[in-house]
Amino acid sequence: MPGIKETVRRILISILESGGATYVSIARWSPRLCAVCGFEGRFKPYGGYYIRPDAQCPSCGSLERHRLLKLFFDSGEMLKKEADWLHFAPEAAVRSFVEPMAKKYVTADLFEQNVDYAWNIEAVECDDEAFDVILCSHVLEHVKTEIALGELFRLLRPDGLAILMVPICEGLERSYSNPGITAADARWAHFQQPDHDRIIGRDFRDMVRTAGFELTEVVAEGEQAVVNGLVMGERIFLARKAA
């Protein structure tokens, strides 16, 4: 005879499945390791349009992309020491390990209050070649991507690095946007969030190169992705401004 907790769990699963969802139970013996704070154990579900099981660290709140960035930074590859950083839309989990490594650390967001500048990434009120490194994670899908990439190129010094992350749809050859979709519920259906400007496809790479960057990529894969609770195949795009 199942207990109350198990009965409630079964009811919730039944409700989810009646709406077309598929419930997947991850075994309790499958702990994750948070690269940001060192927590070991099970992560929490997270998501809006898609709910991802085992995604958020219950200790520091980091998500898969935050932990992938931390692992990349820990590797020390391609990162300058004594660099001036610009961080767009800084997430607390990422800021915790980025700020200490920067010589100068500047934050910007058009809408958030706890940043240094209310800069519009499509038209940044800042001098040319002001930064060595720019970190821009899950911002470019909210704006006119090509325009924003041009601004990032302008802001970087020669041999500067833009560290970019976007929710890319690799099955989509060209990014999808539709200015005629304005209602919030319709934007959920078309773009998975009402504040997304587009679904980014494989042509993101062309946009980066057209802006003037040299492009390389870091991929979440293998055992490291499993242990650290990453999205298998998620990418960091490293856009270098030639010296």
Side-chain angles (χ1 to χ4, degrees):
M1 187 73 179
I4 294 175
K5 184 176 180 180
E6 177 63 17
T7 300
V8 171
R9 188 181 75 88
R10 291 182 182 181
I11 292 172
L12 290 174
I13 292 172
S14 177
I15 292 171
L16 286 170
E17 291 181 340
S18 69
T22 300
Y23 176 81
V24 179
S25 178
I26 297 177
R28 294 185 181 276
W29 47 262
S30 301
R32 303 292 189 241
L33 172 63
C34 179
V36 177
C37 71
F39 170 84
E40 294 185 60
R42 298 193 74 192
F43 291 162
K44 301 189 299 182
Y46 185 88
Y49 192 83
Y50 296 109
I51 297 177
R52 308 186 303 278
D54 217 34
Q56 186 176 45
C57 174
S59 177
C60 68
S62 70
L63 299 174
E64 305 97 327
R65 61 182 182 267
H66 308 150
R67 296 188 290 273
L68 178 56
L69 280 169
K70 181 62 163 62
L71 290 166
F72 166 66
F73 291 152
D74 286 348
S75 73
E77 296 179 16
M78 298 184 70
L79 293 179
K80 287 184 175 182
K81 296 182 179 179
E82 300 295 309
D84 294 337
W85 285 66
L86 171 59
H87 191 175
F88 276 103
E91 297 153 304
V94 179
R95 182 170 186 165
S96 69
F97 59 82
V98 171
E99 187 170 9
M101 73 172 68
K103 176 184 176 183
K104 178 182 178 182
Y105 180 72
V106 175
T107 58
D109 192 288
L110 188 57
F111 303 108
E112 295 297 326
Q113 301 298 313
N114 59 338
V115 294
D116 297 313
Y117 296 100
W119 281 344
N120 178 355
I121 195 171
E122 295 178 16
V124 181
E125 298 176 3
C126 181
D127 293 338
D128 296 353
E129 300 184 355
F131 299 98
D132 300 299
V133 185
I134 299 176
L135 176 55
C136 183
S137 175
H138 284 237
V139 175
L140 294 172
E141 69 275 14
H142 293 263
V143 298
K144 305 305 178 191
T145 309
E146 299 92 336
I147 296 174
L149 286 168
E151 280 293 87
L152 299 186
F153 188 86
R154 179 182 69 82
L155 293 169
L156 277 174
R157 294 168 183 150
D159 201 36
L161 179 67
I163 302 168
L164 312 174
M165 297 189 77
V166 294
I168 190 169
C169 179
E170 295 284 9
L172 196 62
E173 184 177 353
R174 296 186 63 81
S175 300
Y176 167 62
S177 61
N178 189 335
I181 305 299
T182 57
D185 57 348
R187 294 192 68 79
W188 273 109
H190 282 254
F191 307 118
Q192 301 176 3
Q193 279 186 213
D195 58 345
H196 279 181
D197 181 78
R198 61 189 64 197
I199 300 291
I200 291 182
R202 296 196 306 272
D203 60 340
F204 176 72
R205 297 174 175 89
D206 296 330
M207 297 180 202
V208 173
R209 295 188 178 102
T210 298
F213 292 106
E214 299 170 354
L215 180 63
T216 56
E217 302 176 27
V218 173
V219 185
E221 58 187 352
E223 185 176 356
Q224 185 182 66
V226 176
V227 171
N228 291 278
L230 311 180
V231 174
M232 195 74 71
E234 186 166 24
R235 294 169 183 269
I236 302 173
F237 295 92
L238 302 175
R240 177 76 69 181
K241 183 174 181 176

